[in-house]
């Protein structure tokens, strides 16, 4: 199977994804895939990486995808020893191991999304066995421009940070409340080391 998909990697993307869709029913979808930003080397890799760390600590099957040229790569390499971390050199050429992992993935969580690899993005959104979730990489409050890109025509679910943001999303986009995940930013869960604290507060 590995050799077969390796050979497929030389074929057009659309054909590769059709083959993956055909093979998915023969595998158990029990894995999460996460990535932050793959196209901006200076972008912070923190939100979905924090979720990845949580899943790994709780022995939940998951992978994290990162661009080797990202400034966070060495830090993440040191923290994870690259265990269950998929490394790519570009958002335009996806590695073989990623294609193989898609056979078992049921949820993809991203805080940026893909800019250029539209075929992959469309595959995630349209695939009936995969939930494609967008988690913002910062509270946008009065900035509505993210809603022009992160629409329900590109993602299956949208993670919102608070009630104000929930209302903004509902009033200024085509998202419906049943598709919003009221979870907050994953990075918030790293703010305290005191596990006995029941309420996490930020003073600004």
């Amino acid at each position: 199977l590995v050799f077969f998909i390796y050979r497929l990697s030389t074929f057009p993307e659309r054909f590769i994804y059709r083959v993956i869709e055909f093979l998915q029913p023969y595998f158990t979808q029990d894995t999460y895939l996460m990535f932050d930003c793959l196209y901006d080397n200076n972008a912070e890799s923190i939100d979905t990486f924090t979720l990845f760390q949580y899943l790994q600590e709780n022995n939940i099957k998951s992978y994290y995808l990162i661009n080797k040229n990202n400034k966070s790569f060495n830090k993440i390499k040191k923290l994870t020893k690259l265990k269950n971390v998929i490394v790519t050199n570009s958002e335009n050429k996806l590695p073989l191991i990623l294609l193989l992992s898609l056979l078992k993935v049921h949820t993809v969580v991203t805080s940026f999304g893909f800019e250029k690899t539209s075929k992959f993005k469309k595959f995630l959104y349209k695939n009936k066995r995969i939930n494609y979730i967008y988690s913002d990489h910062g509270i946008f409050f009065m900035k509505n421009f993210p809603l022009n890109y992160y629409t329900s025509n590109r993602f299956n679910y949208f993670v919102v940070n608070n009630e104000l943001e929930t209302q903004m999303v509902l009033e200024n986009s085509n998202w419906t409340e049943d598709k919003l995940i009221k979870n907050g930013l994953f990075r918030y869960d790293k703010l305290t080391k005191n596990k006995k604290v029941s309420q996490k507060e930020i003073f600004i």
Side-chain angles (χ1 to χ4, degrees):
L1 179 61
V2 172
F3 177 76
F4 176 63
I5 294 191
Y6 173 75
R7 291 294 299 161
L8 281 179
S9 64
T10 61
F11 293 1
E13 279 185 84
R14 185 178 299 178
F15 180 74
I16 296 173
Y17 299 136
R18 287 289 177 87
V19 172
I20 291 174
E21 285 181 330
F22 174 78
L23 293 174
Q24 276 179 305
Y26 300 98
F27 292 82
T28 301
Q29 274 70 49
D30 59 0
T31 306
Y32 291 85
L33 173 67
M34 283 138 285
F35 59 89
D36 285 293
C37 186
L38 295 178
Y39 53 87
D40 183 350
N41 295 337
N42 294 313
E44 198 173 29
S45 295
I46 182 171
D47 286 301
T48 60
F49 179 69
T50 301
L51 173 61
F52 170 72
Q53 287 180 297
Y54 171 81
L55 295 177
Q56 289 291 294
E57 289 166 3
N58 288 275
N59 298 314
I60 300 173
K61 294 180 181 179
S62 52
Y63 291 100
Y64 183 75
L65 177 64
I66 186 171
N67 191 323
K68 189 175 184 178
N69 299 313
N70 188 280
K71 66 177 184 179
S72 302
F73 176 74
N74 289 331
K75 177 183 177 182
I76 289 175
K77 181 179 180 180
K78 184 177 180 180
L79 286 171
T80 64
K81 310 298 183 187
L82 295 184
K83 179 183 178 182
N84 293 328
V85 174
I86 301 173
V87 181
T88 181
N89 292 321
S90 168
E91 80 279 8
N92 291 315
K93 187 174 182 181
L94 303 177
L96 171 63
I97 189 172
L98 174 62
L99 300 177
L100 289 171
S101 71
L102 289 174
L103 295 172
K104 301 189 71 176
V105 165
H106 62 67
T107 299
V108 176
V109 187
T110 176
S111 66
F112 277 85
F114 277 77
E115 284 296 318
K116 297 178 181 178
T117 49
S118 58
K119 290 185 178 66
F120 182 74
K121 186 166 54 181
K122 290 177 181 178
F123 167 76
L124 294 176
Y125 173 73
K126 293 181 177 180
N127 190 285
K128 295 180 180 179
R129 294 178 176 271
I130 295 177
N131 292 311
Y132 190 27
I133 302 175
Y134 172 71
S135 173
D136 204 1
H137 52 275
I139 299 176
F140 58 79
F141 282 128
M142 305 309 294
K143 300 178 290 183
N144 284 327
F145 68 86
L147 297 176
N148 297 326
Y149 180 79
Y150 303 113
T151 71
S152 59
N153 297 324
R154 297 173 187 249
F155 298 90
N156 303 123
Y157 294 92
F158 189 110
V159 176
V160 288
N161 299 294
N162 50 56
E163 289 301 323
L164 173 61
E165 192 166 281
T166 299
Q167 290 305 310
M168 289 182 61
V169 171
L170 293 175
E171 292 171 7
N172 298 282
S173 70
N174 60 350
W175 285 100
T176 55
E177 194 158 6
D178 61 311
K179 297 296 183 180
L180 301 183
I181 301 174
K182 300 176 183 180
N183 184 80
L185 294 177
F186 300 114
R187 67 175 77 180
Y188 291 165
D189 294 317
K190 288 290 184 180
L191 289 177
T192 177
K193 293 182 180 180
N194 188 349
K195 295 183 179 180
K196 295 181 181 179
V197 176
S198 60
Q199 183 175 352
K200 300 173 183 179
E201 297 180 350
I202 303 174
F203 176 75
I204 301 178

